[in-house]
Amino acid sequence: MYFTDKNRIKYFKTLIETPIPERKKAREAFYLDLFLQTHEGTIWKGSSKLLDLPKQERPDFLFLDENGQQRGLELTDWVNNTKQCRVNQILTDIARDICIEVQKTKHINLSLTIDIYDPKKWGYRTRKEFLDYVYNPGVKKLQANTKTIKKVFSDKILNSGDITEYFTTEQVEVKGQYFKLTFSKSWFNFPEFHINNNSMYWTNPTTALQKIINCKNTKYDSYLSNCKYCDLLIIYPNYHTGNPIFSETEFPFQSHFPNIFLLYWDGEDISVTKLNISHPTDSKTAPVH
């Protein structure tokens, strides 16, 4: 069920309860757990045992296989570095802080959705303006600083009266920019938050994905100092950070890693794609398993 899904609860717990210095490692552990829940992840792990190395950084995780060899798994996010995504990240941090504040002051697990009103959506008058919105939607800049936005949002929610299981909607204006806050008690008994500000779509982002792989390729030898061989797990972008749309053309990614997996999770469904890869002849890549 949507409102009792253990992965959703674990995801928001990771964001809300984990101190900032430990949050990166906690997120990596969360996505590793998602990967190992899938058929592909189960096959990949086999009978290997995860080693307890909390300070391990190169690679992110080590496993001990049935032959007594250490095998590594490096995780990396596929980040869409658009201005819209930066806005989303700022608002995500604000929403997280507000959920914590409401939990402490009102002892309520809050469900919060923040919508941003993009004036372009209603204001385009030329074909050029229309196409610009279609191909590059969303808000690219917040008019006020983080502290101001957080205070306005928080005050609006805390002063709205009783927060119940029914949705409350509040219109908010901050320095000429309009937002809609929709909130209620969380239906799955833990705080949750969402930002609605779509970023642009990529219409065949193989180049962007190859750049991520290239960055990790340069570090591959350093991973092998701690393990016999190492694979790569790439975390698919969230829907609001830009949706990659792949063509059906088969594309061999250049990689030093024996195996590369692309993990997708939309809050409910989990899927894994094993990428088609080509190994450089001069790499130290281990045989593909």
Side-chain angles (χ1 to χ4, degrees):
M1 292 289 292
Y2 177 90
F3 295 110
T4 58
D5 182 78
K6 64 177 183 178
N7 290 325
R8 288 173 57 82
I9 295 174
K10 186 175 180 180
Y11 173 74
F12 286 109
K13 277 190 174 183
T14 298
L15 294 182
I16 290 175
E17 296 182 350
T18 309
I20 291 177
E22 303 169 17
R23 199 170 298 155
K24 178 178 180 295
K25 200 64 184 177
R27 284 185 69 256
E28 291 170 347
F30 169 77
Y31 284 115
L32 172 65
D33 181 59
L34 286 186
F35 174 59
L36 296 179
Q37 290 178 37
T38 67
H39 176 69
E40 295 82 357
T42 300
I43 293 176
W44 177 88
K45 181 177 179 292
S47 59
S48 299
K49 296 181 179 179
L50 177 63
L51 298 180
D52 184 16
L53 297 172
K55 296 182 180 179
Q56 178 67 32
E57 286 294 337
R58 288 180 179 268
D60 291 312
F61 297 98
L62 287 179
F63 291 78
L64 189 67
D65 66 20
E66 62 275 12
N67 299 317
Q69 293 182 334
Q70 289 189 170
R71 56 192 297 198
L73 185 66
E74 175 69 7
L75 274 65
T76 189
D77 286 312
W78 183 349
V79 178
N80 182 5
N81 291 313
T82 65
K83 292 180 180 179
Q84 295 98 322
C85 290
R86 178 57 186 150
V87 167
N88 292 345
Q89 187 56 59
I90 293 171
L91 291 175
T92 296
D93 291 341
I94 289 173
R96 172 188 176 274
D97 291 347
I98 290 174
C99 283
I100 292 173
E101 183 179 5
V102 171
Q103 198 176 46
K104 288 180 178 178
T105 58
K106 291 197 171 227
H107 309 291
I108 290 173
N109 294 315
L110 188 70
S111 174
L112 171 62
T113 299
I114 300 175
D115 287 277
I116 315 174
Y117 283 93
D118 183 355
K120 289 192 305 179
K121 185 174 183 179
W122 315 108
Y124 57 76
R125 289 176 172 78
T126 67
R127 175 181 172 82
K128 183 175 181 299
E129 289 172 338
F130 172 73
L131 291 176
D132 175 61
Y133 177 75
V134 170
Y135 288 103
N136 195 23
V139 173
K140 300 179 182 179
K141 182 180 179 181
L142 295 172
Q143 302 297 337
N145 60 44
T146 301
K147 184 177 180 180
T148 299
I149 296 173
K150 185 190 299 184
K151 185 177 188 311
V152 172
F153 287 5
S154 179
D155 289 348
K156 179 65 72 172
I157 292 171
L158 291 173
N159 296 326
S160 64
D162 292 337
I163 299 176
T164 69
E165 291 82 4
Y166 297 97
F167 290 113
T168 297
T169 299
E170 296 283 358
Q171 305 287 343
V172 179
E173 184 258 330
V174 187
K175 288 200 172 181
Q177 199 163 41
Y178 294 89
F179 303 85
K180 181 175 74 173
L181 308 178
T182 304
F183 53 94
S184 67
K185 285 184 178 179
S186 174
W187 290 2
F188 69 117
N189 204 30
F190 199 82
E192 60 171 332
F193 41 89
H194 307 275
I195 312 301
N196 290 330
N197 179 40
N198 288 333
S199 187
M200 67 182 190
Y201 281 75
W202 303 323
T203 57
N204 192 14
T206 51
T207 301
L209 189 52
Q210 182 64 64
K211 285 182 179 179
I212 294 172
I213 296 170
N214 288 345
C215 180
K216 291 298 180 179
N217 280 341
T218 63
K219 303 174 183 178
Y220 185 73
D221 287 350
S222 68
Y223 301 145
L224 295 189
S225 64
N226 293 318
C227 54
K228 182 68 174 180
Y229 61 93
C230 182
D231 292 324
L232 181 63
L233 178 64
I234 300 174
I235 312 305
Y236 199 90
N238 289 326
Y239 73 94
H240 61 272
T241 65
N243 291 316
I245 304 175
F246 287 99
S247 71
E248 295 182 357
T249 304
E250 200 168 292
F251 183 87
F253 293 93
Q254 298 295 312
S255 168
H256 292 294
F257 294 86
N259 301 288
I260 299 180
F261 301 95
L262 188 61
L263 174 68
Y264 173 82
W265 179 63
D266 63 2
E268 295 182 43
D269 297 325
I270 315 169
S271 64
V272 172
T273 302
K274 186 176 181 181
L275 299 186
N276 179 29
I277 56 179
S278 174
H279 299 295
T281 56
D282 60 345
S283 76
K284 299 179 181 179
T285 306
V288 177
H289 292 262

